[in-house]
Short mmCIF file of all heavy atoms in Angstrom, two decimals:
data_model
loop_
_atom_site.label_atom_id
_atom_site.label_comp_id
_atom_site.label_asym_id
_atom_site.label_seq_id
_atom_site.Cartn_x
_atom_site.Cartn_y
_atom_site.Cartn_z
N ASP A 1 -10.68 12.84 -11.01
CA ASP A 1 -9.88 12.02 -11.90
C ASP A 1 -10.69 11.01 -12.70
O ASP A 1 -10.14 10.26 -13.51
CB ASP A 1 -8.80 11.27 -11.09
CG ASP A 1 -7.63 12.17 -10.73
OD1 ASP A 1 -7.49 13.23 -11.36
OD2 ASP A 1 -6.87 11.81 -9.81
N ASN A 2 -11.98 10.97 -12.47
CA ASN A 2 -12.85 10.12 -13.28
C ASN A 2 -12.72 10.54 -14.74
O ASN A 2 -12.67 11.74 -15.05
CB ASN A 2 -14.30 10.29 -12.81
CG ASN A 2 -15.26 9.28 -13.41
OD1 ASN A 2 -15.25 9.02 -14.60
ND2 ASN A 2 -16.11 8.74 -12.56
N ILE A 3 -12.69 9.59 -15.66
CA ILE A 3 -12.49 9.94 -17.07
C ILE A 3 -13.55 10.91 -17.58
O ILE A 3 -13.26 11.74 -18.45
CB ILE A 3 -12.41 8.69 -17.98
CG1 ILE A 3 -13.66 7.82 -17.83
CG2 ILE A 3 -11.15 7.89 -17.67
CD1 ILE A 3 -13.68 6.61 -18.77
N ILE A 4 -14.78 10.84 -17.04
CA ILE A 4 -15.83 11.74 -17.53
C ILE A 4 -15.60 13.17 -17.09
O ILE A 4 -16.15 14.11 -17.68
CB ILE A 4 -17.23 11.28 -17.08
CG1 ILE A 4 -17.36 11.28 -15.56
CG2 ILE A 4 -17.58 9.94 -17.69
CD1 ILE A 4 -18.78 11.09 -15.05
N ASN A 5 -14.78 13.37 -16.06
CA ASN A 5 -14.53 14.72 -15.56
C ASN A 5 -13.22 15.31 -16.06
O ASN A 5 -12.79 16.35 -15.56
CB ASN A 5 -14.58 14.71 -14.03
CG ASN A 5 -15.97 14.39 -13.51
OD1 ASN A 5 -16.96 14.77 -14.12
ND2 ASN A 5 -16.04 13.67 -12.41
N ARG A 6 -12.63 14.68 -17.05
CA ARG A 6 -11.42 15.21 -17.67
C ARG A 6 -11.73 15.90 -19.00
O ARG A 6 -10.83 16.22 -19.76
CB ARG A 6 -10.40 14.08 -17.91
CG ARG A 6 -9.93 13.40 -16.63
CD ARG A 6 -8.89 12.34 -16.94
NE ARG A 6 -9.01 11.20 -16.05
CZ ARG A 6 -8.48 10.01 -16.28
NH1 ARG A 6 -7.79 9.80 -17.40
NH2 ARG A 6 -8.63 9.03 -15.42
N VAL A 7 -13.00 16.09 -19.28
CA VAL A 7 -13.41 16.77 -20.52
C VAL A 7 -13.98 18.14 -20.15
O VAL A 7 -14.37 18.37 -19.00
CB VAL A 7 -14.43 15.92 -21.30
CG1 VAL A 7 -13.87 14.53 -21.58
CG2 VAL A 7 -15.76 15.80 -20.55
N PRO A 8 -14.04 19.08 -21.11
CA PRO A 8 -14.38 20.47 -20.77
C PRO A 8 -15.69 20.65 -20.01
O PRO A 8 -15.76 21.44 -19.06
CB PRO A 8 -14.43 21.15 -22.14
CG PRO A 8 -13.47 20.37 -22.97
CD PRO A 8 -13.62 18.95 -22.52
N LYS A 9 -16.75 19.96 -20.42
CA LYS A 9 -18.06 20.15 -19.77
C LYS A 9 -18.41 19.02 -18.81
O LYS A 9 -19.55 18.89 -18.39
CB LYS A 9 -19.15 20.32 -20.83
CG LYS A 9 -19.01 21.63 -21.61
CD LYS A 9 -20.24 21.91 -22.44
CE LYS A 9 -20.16 23.28 -23.10
NZ LYS A 9 -21.38 23.59 -23.89
N LYS A 10 -17.39 18.23 -18.44
CA LYS A 10 -17.56 17.15 -17.48
C LYS A 10 -18.53 16.09 -18.03
O LYS A 10 -18.74 16.00 -19.21
CB LYS A 10 -18.02 17.67 -16.11
CG LYS A 10 -17.19 18.84 -15.61
CD LYS A 10 -15.71 18.53 -15.54
CE LYS A 10 -14.90 19.73 -15.07
NZ LYS A 10 -13.44 19.50 -15.20
N GLY A 11 -19.09 15.27 -17.14
CA GLY A 11 -19.87 14.17 -17.69
C GLY A 11 -20.86 13.55 -16.74
O GLY A 11 -21.12 14.03 -15.63
N VAL A 12 -21.42 12.42 -17.21
CA VAL A 12 -22.47 11.67 -16.52
C VAL A 12 -22.01 10.22 -16.40
O VAL A 12 -21.55 9.63 -17.37
CB VAL A 12 -23.79 11.70 -17.32
CG1 VAL A 12 -24.89 10.94 -16.58
CG2 VAL A 12 -24.21 13.13 -17.64
N GLN A 13 -22.15 9.65 -15.21
CA GLN A 13 -21.87 8.23 -15.01
C GLN A 13 -23.18 7.52 -14.75
O GLN A 13 -23.91 7.86 -13.82
CB GLN A 13 -20.91 8.03 -13.83
CG GLN A 13 -20.54 6.56 -13.60
CD GLN A 13 -19.31 6.42 -12.74
OE1 GLN A 13 -18.28 7.05 -12.98
NE2 GLN A 13 -19.39 5.58 -11.72
N ILE A 14 -23.46 6.51 -15.58
CA ILE A 14 -24.69 5.74 -15.47
C ILE A 14 -24.33 4.33 -15.01
O ILE A 14 -23.53 3.65 -15.64
CB ILE A 14 -25.44 5.69 -16.81
CG1 ILE A 14 -25.84 7.11 -17.25
CG2 ILE A 14 -26.66 4.79 -16.73
CD1 ILE A 14 -26.38 7.19 -18.66
N GLU A 15 -24.92 3.91 -13.90
CA GLU A 15 -24.67 2.59 -13.32
C GLU A 15 -25.93 1.74 -13.48
O GLU A 15 -26.98 2.05 -12.91
CB GLU A 15 -24.29 2.70 -11.85
CG GLU A 15 -22.96 3.39 -11.60
CD GLU A 15 -21.77 2.44 -11.73
OE1 GLU A 15 -22.01 1.22 -11.92
OE2 GLU A 15 -20.62 2.93 -11.65
N LEU A 16 -25.81 0.65 -14.23
CA LEU A 16 -26.96 -0.18 -14.56
C LEU A 16 -26.93 -1.50 -13.80
O LEU A 16 -25.89 -2.15 -13.72
CB LEU A 16 -26.96 -0.48 -16.07
CG LEU A 16 -26.95 0.74 -17.00
CD1 LEU A 16 -26.80 0.27 -18.44
CD2 LEU A 16 -28.21 1.56 -16.82
N PRO A 17 -28.07 -1.94 -13.26
CA PRO A 17 -28.12 -3.23 -12.58
C PRO A 17 -27.99 -4.38 -13.57
O PRO A 17 -28.26 -4.24 -14.77
CB PRO A 17 -29.51 -3.22 -11.92
CG PRO A 17 -30.33 -2.32 -12.78
CD PRO A 17 -29.38 -1.26 -13.27
N ARG A 18 -27.57 -5.52 -13.05
CA ARG A 18 -27.31 -6.67 -13.92
C ARG A 18 -28.54 -7.11 -14.70
O ARG A 18 -28.44 -7.47 -15.88
CB ARG A 18 -26.76 -7.83 -13.08
CG ARG A 18 -26.40 -9.08 -13.90
CD ARG A 18 -25.30 -8.78 -14.91
NE ARG A 18 -25.07 -9.87 -15.82
CZ ARG A 18 -24.05 -10.73 -15.71
NH1 ARG A 18 -23.18 -10.61 -14.72
NH2 ARG A 18 -23.87 -11.69 -16.59
N ALA A 19 -29.70 -7.12 -14.06
CA ALA A 19 -30.91 -7.58 -14.74
C ALA A 19 -31.19 -6.77 -16.01
O ALA A 19 -31.58 -7.32 -17.04
CB ALA A 19 -32.11 -7.51 -13.79
N LEU A 20 -30.97 -5.46 -15.94
CA LEU A 20 -31.18 -4.61 -17.11
C LEU A 20 -30.11 -4.90 -18.16
O LEU A 20 -30.41 -5.02 -19.35
CB LEU A 20 -31.16 -3.14 -16.69
CG LEU A 20 -31.73 -2.12 -17.68
CD1 LEU A 20 -32.06 -0.82 -16.96
CD2 LEU A 20 -30.78 -1.83 -18.83
N ARG A 21 -28.87 -5.04 -17.72
CA ARG A 21 -27.78 -5.30 -18.67
C ARG A 21 -27.93 -6.65 -19.37
O ARG A 21 -27.51 -6.81 -20.52
CB ARG A 21 -26.43 -5.22 -17.95
CG ARG A 21 -26.08 -3.81 -17.51
CD ARG A 21 -24.72 -3.74 -16.87
NE ARG A 21 -24.68 -4.23 -15.50
CZ ARG A 21 -23.96 -5.25 -15.06
NH1 ARG A 21 -23.19 -5.94 -15.92
NH2 ARG A 21 -23.97 -5.61 -13.80
N ASP A 22 -28.53 -7.61 -18.68
CA ASP A 22 -28.75 -8.92 -19.29
C ASP A 22 -29.64 -8.83 -20.52
O ASP A 22 -29.60 -9.71 -21.39
CB ASP A 22 -29.38 -9.88 -18.27
CG ASP A 22 -28.36 -10.42 -17.29
OD1 ASP A 22 -27.14 -10.28 -17.54
OD2 ASP A 22 -28.77 -10.98 -16.25
N GLU A 23 -30.44 -7.76 -20.60
CA GLU A 23 -31.31 -7.57 -21.77
C GLU A 23 -30.59 -6.91 -22.95
O GLU A 23 -31.22 -6.61 -23.96
CB GLU A 23 -32.55 -6.76 -21.37
CG GLU A 23 -33.45 -7.49 -20.38
CD GLU A 23 -34.78 -6.80 -20.19
OE1 GLU A 23 -35.69 -7.01 -21.03
OE2 GLU A 23 -34.92 -6.05 -19.21
N ALA A 24 -29.29 -6.71 -22.79
CA ALA A 24 -28.49 -6.16 -23.89
C ALA A 24 -27.61 -7.22 -24.54
O ALA A 24 -26.91 -6.94 -25.51
CB ALA A 24 -27.61 -5.01 -23.39
N VAL A 25 -27.61 -8.43 -24.00
CA VAL A 25 -26.76 -9.52 -24.48
C VAL A 25 -27.61 -10.77 -24.68
O VAL A 25 -28.38 -11.14 -23.79
CB VAL A 25 -25.63 -9.82 -23.46
CG1 VAL A 25 -24.72 -10.92 -23.98
CG2 VAL A 25 -24.82 -8.56 -23.15
N PRO A 26 -27.53 -11.45 -25.84
CA PRO A 26 -26.68 -11.13 -26.99
C PRO A 26 -27.26 -10.06 -27.92
O PRO A 26 -26.57 -9.54 -28.77
CB PRO A 26 -26.58 -12.48 -27.71
CG PRO A 26 -27.91 -13.14 -27.43
CD PRO A 26 -28.27 -12.72 -26.04
N ALA A 27 -28.53 -9.75 -27.75
CA ALA A 27 -29.15 -8.71 -28.57
C ALA A 27 -29.92 -7.76 -27.65
O ALA A 27 -30.49 -8.18 -26.64
CB ALA A 27 -30.10 -9.32 -29.59
N ILE A 28 -29.94 -6.48 -28.02
CA ILE A 28 -30.61 -5.48 -27.19
C ILE A 28 -32.12 -5.62 -27.33
O ILE A 28 -32.66 -5.65 -28.43
CB ILE A 28 -30.14 -4.07 -27.57
CG1 ILE A 28 -28.66 -3.91 -27.23
CG2 ILE A 28 -30.97 -3.00 -26.87
CD1 ILE A 28 -28.06 -2.61 -27.65
N ARG A 29 -32.79 -5.71 -26.17
CA ARG A 29 -34.23 -5.94 -26.17
C ARG A 29 -34.82 -5.39 -24.88
O ARG A 29 -34.08 -4.97 -23.98
CB ARG A 29 -34.53 -7.44 -26.29
CG ARG A 29 -33.99 -8.25 -25.11
CD ARG A 29 -33.83 -9.73 -25.42
NE ARG A 29 -33.41 -10.48 -24.24
CZ ARG A 29 -32.15 -10.56 -23.82
NH1 ARG A 29 -31.18 -9.92 -24.46
NH2 ARG A 29 -31.86 -11.27 -22.75
N GLY A 30 -36.12 -5.39 -24.77
CA GLY A 30 -36.81 -5.05 -23.54
C GLY A 30 -36.38 -3.70 -22.96
O GLY A 30 -36.31 -2.68 -23.67
#
């Protein structure tokens, strides 16, 4: 029932740690 698995070829779920995500706000860097 994951939204990525409701499409014909299924999907990929990527889980990112906070430290990495912090480099996307306010501008994407690093």
Side-chain angles (χ1 to χ4, degrees):
D1 282 343
N2 190 314
I3 56 177
I4 62 169
N5 294 326
R6 298 182 215 163
V7 304
K9 292 192 174 181
K10 311 304 179 189
V12 181
Q13 182 163 310
I14 299 171
E15 294 277 355
L16 304 174
R18 182 61 188 258
L20 196 161
R21 291 183 283 119
D22 282 346
E23 295 191 82
V25 182
I28 294 176
R29 63 200 185 279

